[in-house]
Amino acid sequence: MIKRFSSPTSPDNQVSTRSPSIIVFSFLASPITLIGFGILLRTVQYAANPSLWVDESALALNIIQRTYVDLLQPLDYGQAAPVGFLLLEKFVSLQLGFGEYALRLIPFLSGIASLFLFHALAKRCLVREAIPWALFLFAIASPLVYYSSELKQYSSDVFITLVILLAGIRAREKNLALCSVAMFGAAGAAGIWFSQPATFVAGGVALALVVSCVVRKDWGGAGLAGLAGTVFLLSFSAEYHFLIRNIRLDYFLEFWSRDLMPFPPSSPWHLYWIWETFILLFFFPMGLALKGMGAFSFLCGAISMLKRNRDTLFILFFPALVTIVASALQRYPLRGRLVLFLAPFLAILMAEGIIRVFEMGRAKRLSAGVLFVVLLFLQPLADAAVNLRYPVEARSQLEHSEEVRPVLWYIRDHWRQGDLMYVFSPSEDAFRYYSLLLRADFREVIIGENLRKGFENTYRKDLDRLRGRRRVWVLFSHVGEDRGKGVNVERMVRYLETIGNRQDQVRHSGAFAYLFDLTVSSETEKQGK
């Protein structure tokens, strides 16, 4: 019997010759690492537990004060949210309480689940080399991190968008088999009740499937996709009839009027608005400082995918197209947190574009592609580092940081019999929420007048109501937005200092309070007399 010896160079005995740098890069670029990093960023932001800002507080009051049935009616305090999201929030608050952690749990879990769903989407849409770039973009985008721990529906919008996109792509992969189309129809019809932009996503994906089938002359598939679209339309019609038509949409559309697409574009400014809105998408929701480079990689990716996989491009792009049409009809804004749900679409095409940039750089100089990527990711990486070290401060770069909780905690601990609280009008919702949460019994409270109209003629009269009181706490928060609407908080404080004496103060990020003795005029007012 001849004993066989394997060659030292055979696969069985060959030792890996990969360098340590390649091994490290492979580990860093692995889905487990990238998803884990995304989970870490979102968990740190959630665990920091910053105070609810005014919009969160307003929504929290609706959830706390209403029954399940009452949540089907238009909300108070200028709020609107999908009914499915509200009912889930109500259920969680009844089980876990109405603290910040409980109220933000649904957005947090949506943000975590979205990472896994996005990885599944990237595997179906991209070549293997592009998947890590897409995951990296999605994991570290600061808007996605931030909204994963805010009591609003925008994080769950992204989650629902991914569910519908994956269901649509699966239906396409199954050649629109009846079972897969039924699952797609169910996902879209249900998602519309949990997410406002889900209507655009479900309708856009259905339209993309119809167009792809018509191009291939697959009339049976087109009919099934059209049937799914009809189901979405019926679901939206039911939601509109029972819920949406009762909401004062004119109020919200007026609030977001500057973010509605001007149509038809009849001036150079309108064309500039369209271009600027497109560029701004790469700052929000993608978190890129170099927005032009992000737009370039996106356009390269769109061209590449059009050549490589047109059907997938249609599924990704048509929801955005339907959203643009809705904005042109003055029904949906195209900027800010309302377009967070477009992040998966943007990240996929940007990753496709990054690979194309590397290929172009390889044809000339590899360093050009590397430099492009380094510059593109420099700011998002810096934002991620700030989020890990200073999570509360990092929030203020995107949205309002209003630390009302520690301010009211301080006032509660220093409250005396006979004290009076004056609450700056925009601070009212946060004050009411934290008074409940902290079980603070502020016996005498005056809510300030709305000073946005006629500030100069109103603020002194409003503050003069406080004269003659020895201890008056004056609470301010959400002052930045009102400053742009003619409200000057600094002038209000200066006036208080002329009619009384400041005794104490407490300041935290975006919120502050002063204690005044208004029983006697200050030296400044006496000199004025």
Side-chain angles (χ1 to χ4, degrees):
M1 180 175 176
I2 299 175
K3 186 176 181 180
R4 296 182 60 188
F5 292 90
S6 58
S7 168
T9 59
S10 69
D12 293 336
N13 292 306
Q14 193 171 15
V15 178
S16 173
T17 58
R18 292 195 303 171
S19 66
S21 60
I22 296 296
I23 295 173
V24 171
F25 179 80
S26 299
F27 171 74
L28 293 177
S30 68
I32 293 177
T33 303
L34 295 173
I35 292 174
F37 188 53
I39 292 174
L40 175 64
L41 289 172
R42 287 153 178 79
T43 303
V44 167
Q45 186 63 239
Y46 177 72
N49 196 30
S51 300
L52 301 189
W53 71 287
V54 63
D55 269 16
E56 290 182 284
S57 299
L59 192 59
L61 289 173
N62 279 286
I63 294 166
I64 295 166
Q65 296 171 349
R66 292 182 174 220
T67 65
Y68 284 111
V69 175
D70 291 336
L71 287 172
L72 303 180
Q73 301 301 317
L75 301 181
D76 296 322
Y77 316 117
Q79 294 298 302
V83 64
F85 175 80
L86 292 172
L87 296 179
L88 280 176
E89 284 287 346
K90 182 66 178 179
F91 175 78
V92 171
S93 68
L94 289 176
Q95 305 306 313
L96 303 178
F98 55 87
E100 298 97 327
Y101 282 127
L103 291 172
R104 288 170 170 158
L105 183 61
I106 297 297
F108 174 66
L109 295 178
S110 296
I112 299 298
S114 293
L115 289 164
F116 294 94
L117 292 179
F118 181 77
H119 178 226
L121 180 69
K123 288 195 297 183
R124 285 169 165 79
C125 298
L126 294 169
V127 296
R128 184 173 57 86
E129 295 81 2
I131 294 173
W133 297 112
L135 261 179
F136 192 43
L137 277 165
F138 194 83
I140 69 171
S142 51
L144 292 171
V145 173
Y146 169 79
Y147 282 102
S148 292
S149 58
E150 177 173 289
L151 175 56
K152 298 292 280 186
Q153 63 269 28
Y154 308 116
S155 179
S156 54
D157 284 346
V158 178
F159 172 78
I160 297 295
T161 294
L162 286 163
V163 170
I164 296 172
L165 287 173
L166 281 168
I169 288 179
R170 184 178 182 277
R172 188 209 64 194
E173 291 173 346
K174 299 291 184 179
N175 294 318
L176 295 178
L178 182 59
C179 181
S180 63
V181 174
M183 292 181 63
F184 168 55
I192 288 170
W193 294 79
F194 288 85
S195 168
Q196 290 157 340
T199 303
F200 308 138
V201 179
V205 174
L207 182 60
L209 293 173
V210 170
V211 171
S212 297
C213 289
V214 169
V215 170
R216 295 195 306 268
K217 297 183 179 180
D218 178 7
W219 309 117
L224 285 173
L227 181 60
T230 303
V231 171
F232 303 151
L233 183 60
L234 291 173
S235 179
F236 174 74
S237 298
E239 183 188 27
Y240 182 85
H241 178 76
F242 291 109
L243 301 173
I244 298 176
R245 69 172 183 170
N246 299 319
I247 299 174
R248 285 185 53 209
L249 292 177
D250 55 335
Y251 165 78
F252 296 101
L253 293 175
E254 180 182 357
F255 181 85
W256 291 95
S257 59
R258 291 182 296 178
D259 300 321
L260 296 170
M261 179 180 175
F263 188 83
S266 56
S267 70
W269 181 87
H270 289 165
L271 296 175
Y272 174 75
W273 186 96
I274 293 170
W275 170 252
E276 182 186 46
T277 299
F278 169 67
I279 293 295
L280 284 175
L281 287 173
F282 301 96
F283 174 73
F284 196 106
M286 296 315 301
L288 301 174
L290 299 177
K291 302 180 288 292
M293 295 180 67
F296 177 75
S297 63
F298 171 85
L299 293 173
C300 289
I303 294 170
S304 172
M305 189 166 289
L306 182 63
K307 297 176 180 178
R308 183 178 64 81
N309 194 336
R310 183 182 59 192
D311 289 350
T312 296
L313 178 64
F314 284 179
I315 290 175
L316 294 172
F317 175 70
F318 272 50
L321 180 62
V322 174
T323 307
I324 292 170
V325 171
S327 187
L329 295 174
Q330 308 299 291
R331 293 338 254 168
Y332 196 82
L334 274 181
R335 292 184 178 182
R337 52 189 181 267
L338 296 182
V339 295
L340 192 75
F341 75 99
L342 294 178
F345 156 65
L346 295 169
I348 291 290
L349 290 187
M350 285 181 63
E352 177 89 9
I354 288 171
I355 295 301
R356 300 289 82 82
V357 170
F358 266 119
E359 290 180 352
M360 289 186 286
R362 190 179 297 117
K364 297 179 181 180
R365 293 181 60 190
L366 181 60
S367 57
V370 174
L371 179 62
F372 180 89
V373 171
V374 169
L375 292 175
L376 187 67
F377 285 102
L378 192 60
Q379 183 63 43
L381 282 171
D383 290 342
V386 172
N387 179 69
L388 290 173
R389 183 66 179 88
Y390 306 104
V392 175
E393 291 78 358
R395 296 173 70 88
S396 62
Q397 298 178 13
L398 287 171
E399 270 290 0
H400 306 274
S401 177
E402 299 170 3
E403 287 302 309
V404 174
R405 180 181 59 224
V407 172
L408 284 180
W409 206 321
Y410 181 89
I411 296 174
R412 186 195 66 177
D413 292 345
H414 292 79
W415 187 266
R416 297 182 187 175
Q417 185 71 25
D419 282 8
L420 170 67
M421 171 81 78
Y422 172 87
V423 179
F424 180 52
S425 175
S427 311
E428 179 181 0
D429 296 334
F431 168 76
R432 293 194 184 282
Y433 169 74
Y434 278 108
S435 295
L436 289 172
L437 185 68
L438 301 177
R439 295 186 174 90
D441 185 15
F442 302 117
R443 292 185 177 273
E444 194 172 357
V445 178
I446 293 178
I447 304 299
E449 297 289 334
N450 187 341
L451 303 176
R452 291 181 178 179
K453 295 181 180 179
F455 173 76
E456 293 296 336
N457 301 323
T458 307
Y459 83 96
R460 292 192 180 203
K461 180 181 177 180
D462 195 38
L463 295 176
D464 282 341
R465 295 184 292 166
L466 311 178
R467 285 178 181 266
R469 301 298 297 260
R470 184 169 298 279
R471 287 173 56 87
V472 180
W473 294 95
V474 184
L475 173 67
F476 292 101
S477 67
H478 200 61
V479 300
E481 183 172 329
D482 282 67
R483 185 179 293 116
K485 297 180 180 180
V487 178
N488 191 320
V489 170
E490 290 80 4
R491 187 175 297 179
M492 295 176 68
V493 174
R494 286 198 299 269
Y495 181 67
L496 286 167
E497 290 173 338
T498 65
I499 65 174
N501 295 313
R502 188 191 301 182
Q503 304 293 309
D504 197 1
Q505 67 178 20
V506 55
R507 281 184 169 271
H508 287 272
S509 177
F512 50 94
Y514 301 106
L515 175 64
F516 281 95
D517 179 357
L518 300 178
T519 55
V520 293
S521 300
S522 68
E523 292 299 322
T524 303
E525 188 179 39
K526 291 176 181 178
Q527 292 173 5
K529 293 180 177 178

